[in-house]
Amino acid sequence: MRLGINLGYWGLGMDADNIAVAQEADRLGYSVCWAAEAYGSDAATVLSFVAARTERIDVGSAIFQIPARTPAMTAMTAATLDTLSGGRFRLGLGVSGPQVSEGWYGVKFDKPLARTREYVEIIRKAMSRERLVHEGAHWTLPLPGGPGKPIKLTVHPVRERIPLYIAAIGPKNLELTGEIADGWLGIFFSPEHSALSLDALTAGRAKAGKTLEGFDLCPTVNIAVGEDVKAAVDGLRSYAALYIGGMGSKEKNFYNQLTRRMGYEQAADEIQEKYLAKDYAGAAAAVPHDLIDATSLIGDTARIADRMQAYAEAGVSTLTLAPSGFTLDERILALRTGVEALERAGLA
């Protein structure tokens, strides 16, 4: 099992340390450094900066938002990043959510599965450097009746096939991911509830005549190093409450729905109700201890090693760490503990 590091969003007050974190991950042999985007920093600019300051570690978008860019623009960005980084780029995609898609980008959040399938198809065509022709429900290239002609990408990516990942939570999106992607970007993944994700991914792979072998299962998990497990869990409550309670509307919150499928229906209701009422402290307090512990790496090196073993046994091939601390020392400690725990578990 390989390790990754997720820098999260640029602009959260830790920017001065992010390059130091990426460089330390590079030195320690981490496989990939991911960056995110929502409606602040864009991931492409961050990744180009990280790639310029590192040597071996891959850089990946977790995620590029599908409503933010046309598929051809995403192909251009991916090819450029792959070239600039010397073949170290991984393309992670996601549909985002209704609030960001419609409120920030002005793109209607409809038929996300069909849109994703078509988006990926166009990207694959563009990055293969064939002349781009596509007729679909969401995009037609070239536009009919105009001066546009089929053209092809002028940039030559370092690799013939840039690894493509999709961030997916719902069963249908997971199945699509298994069918058309090279890897999966997960969140709130628990080894004990792995079937909620892996069954659908496996079904998607079967549709493509494939298995999970060679498919990169890559969940992001919070890591909090320390002897006091309860204190570490409490430190992650606000993060969990934000996603379960506030990432989306009452009617459409993918993280809340996942929490329900994991068996925490009552807690999911309470967290969302309090969060949407702006009772953020109450929402955080309502997040079950067991939910955070099951979806995170918490404790000393030995305890974290045990949990890493569980993730490996569940089939995870790249475990991406998101350090819970905000200082550089805390984040570097998490990186080093991750490597020590991986070696202790016999997974390095």
Side-chain angles (χ1 to χ4, degrees):
M1 189 169 69
R2 301 173 297 273
L3 293 179
I5 177 68
N6 196 319
L7 298 179
Y9 304 104
W10 207 267
L12 295 182
M14 301 181 292
D15 302 348
D17 297 333
N18 276 338
I19 292 301
V21 170
Q23 289 173 330
E24 179 66 4
D26 191 21
R27 187 188 70 79
L28 290 169
Y30 274 64
S31 176
V32 59
C33 177
W34 303 96
E37 65 182 20
Y39 43 92
S41 58
D42 75 285
T45 305
V46 172
L47 293 173
S48 64
F49 190 48
V50 171
R53 300 295 186 92
T54 54
E55 297 178 4
R56 295 169 299 277
I57 194 169
D58 282 5
V59 293
S61 55
I63 54 170
F64 283 167
Q65 298 169 103
I66 286 175
R69 302 169 182 84
T70 66
M73 182 68 237
T74 296
M76 291 167 59
T77 303
T80 304
L81 280 166
D82 198 54
T83 303
L84 291 174
S85 66
R88 292 188 285 139
F89 178 64
R90 303 188 195 184
L91 173 59
L93 302 170
V95 293
S96 189
Q99 289 181 321
V100 173
S101 183
E102 299 190 10
W104 185 249
Y105 295 116
V107 176
K108 191 168 181 59
F109 192 83
D110 62 344
K111 300 181 179 178
L113 298 180
R115 186 181 294 271
T116 298
R117 181 185 293 277
E118 204 170 320
Y119 198 90
V120 170
E121 184 178 337
I122 295 171
I123 288 172
R124 297 271 202 217
K125 286 181 181 178
M127 289 198 298
S128 70
R129 301 193 67 250
E130 63 179 88
R131 294 195 179 275
L132 192 54
V133 177
H134 180 84
E135 292 185 17
H138 301 281
W139 291 277
T140 299
L141 299 167
L143 285 175
K149 295 181 179 180
I151 51 180
K152 64 180 180 180
L153 185 69
T154 61
V155 175
H156 292 252
V158 174
R159 293 161 296 171
E160 291 185 4
R161 188 179 177 94
I162 293 173
L164 189 150
Y165 296 69
I166 295 176
I169 296 175
K172 291 182 179 179
N173 200 8
L174 284 163
E175 187 172 322
L176 177 68
T177 298
E179 182 184 354
I180 68 174
D182 303 309
W184 168 62
L185 298 174
I187 189 171
F188 291 114
F189 179 79
S190 161
E192 292 75 25
H193 296 90
S194 61
L196 292 174
S197 304
L198 300 192
D199 285 356
L201 288 167
T202 300
R205 298 299 285 169
K207 278 188 174 181
K210 301 176 181 179
T211 68
L212 286 177
E213 184 175 355
F215 185 82
D216 195 8
L217 297 172
C218 183
T220 292
V221 298
N222 288 307
I223 177 170
V225 181
E227 298 291 336
D228 191 336
V229 172
K230 182 181 182 302
V233 167
D234 288 345
L236 293 170
R237 287 183 179 280
S238 295
Y239 168 86
L242 167 64
Y243 279 82
I244 298 168
M247 284 289 194
S249 64
K250 186 173 179 60
E251 295 74 27
K252 185 151 297 194
N253 180 321
F254 305 121
Y255 309 97
N256 189 280
Q257 292 164 7
L258 173 61
T259 303
R260 294 172 183 279
R261 291 196 296 274
M262 293 173 71
Y264 296 97
E265 295 91 345
Q266 184 175 345
D269 281 338
E270 184 179 357
I271 295 164
Q272 187 176 64
E273 180 181 344
K274 289 183 175 179
Y275 200 96
L276 295 180
K278 301 189 185 305
D279 179 9
Y280 304 128
V287 179
H289 174 106
D290 291 347
L291 173 60
I292 296 175
D293 197 18
T295 56
S296 310
L297 299 174
I298 296 174
D300 59 16
T301 303
R303 193 174 193 271
I304 289 172
D306 286 343
R307 288 304 290 166
M308 282 188 172
Q309 185 66 53
Y311 276 96
E313 290 173 359
V316 171
S317 44
T318 303
L319 188 63
T320 296
L321 309 184
S324 64
F326 292 98
T327 69
L328 178 58
D329 286 346
E330 288 173 320
R331 298 170 77 193
I332 295 296
L333 174 63
L335 284 175
R336 293 174 179 171
T337 301
V339 172
E340 292 170 6
L342 193 75
E343 292 172 347
R344 181 170 184 145
L347 299 170

